[in-house]
Amino acid sequence: MGDTLVTTSEPLTVSVAVFDDYSAIESAWWRLLHDQQGLDFRGSVVELKSQMNIDRVQRFLESRIRQGRMLIARLEGELAGICTYSPDGFILDAPTQVWEIADVWVEPHARRNGIATALVRQGEHECKMRGATQVRLTVYALNDAALGLYQSLGYDISSYTLSRNLNP
Ligand SMILES: CC(C)(COP(=O)(O)OP(=O)(O)OC[C@H]1O[C@@H](n2cnc3c(N)ncnc32)[C@H](O)[C@@H]1OP(=O)(O)O)[C@@H](O)C(=O)NCCC(=O)NCCS
């Protein structure tokens, strides 16, 4: 854990992110947030990059990197994608240990080359190495690309998230 882990097919590499990667990851993160704005109305904030949001993103990314819970995919040395993984919040002692993979992002120019596939497979490995016996993912219902990705990787739908606005 914590080292460069996988060389998929050259020149694609996937490894656990380190602080030297921070700047490239933060840039990708804002592209991810911008991209996902249309899928979750809460993301359609007036000022995405307000100082408060910048601070929150920084704290989140630093904590994921410090915990070794972020992967970075590089294509010829340049960031091509990222994902995170973390234990779910289930409080009971149970034989099934569930971790969640999230924030899967591949740069638009690099898509449909198997990069997300490599990230998720390596994320599964990282979760397993940390004790997970199951991985879960959450996908917006309108995100056809992500649904296609996860179904191609053998994920089944195990729950639905329902929502109702209280301030119509
Ligand atoms: C979803 C996303 C991560 C896929 O990344 P990717 O590197 O292009 O995915 P892969 O090349 O590994 O694709 C593997 C398979 O997933 C499916 N898939 C990927 N993109 C798809 C799309 N746009 N439409 C339908 N199926 C798709 C296909 O079955 C594909 O296999 P194929 O290329 O042989 O047909 C990428 O489109 C992305 O970053 N989207 C924006 C962020 C996002 O939505 N992240 C998911 C959050 S839950």
Side-chain angles (χ1 to χ4, degrees), residues 45-56:
V45 290
V46 178
E47 195 187 347
L48 188 61
K49 291 184 86 168
S50 66
Q51 192 54 51
M52 183 186 289
N53 288 343
I54 289 170
D55 291 345
R56 287 180 177 182

Side-chain angles (χ1 to χ4, degrees), residues 35-36 104 106 111-117 143 145 148-150 152:
D35 180 271
Q36 300 283 294
V104 181
V106 173
R111 290 178 187 171
R112 301 308 282 264
N113 284 311
I115 295 174
T117 298
N143 195 342
L149 167 69
Y150 299 133
S152 80

Side-chain angles (χ1 to χ4, degrees), residues 41 163-168:
F41 70 93
S163 60
R164 189 169 82 85
N165 290 339
L166 301 181
N167 294 318

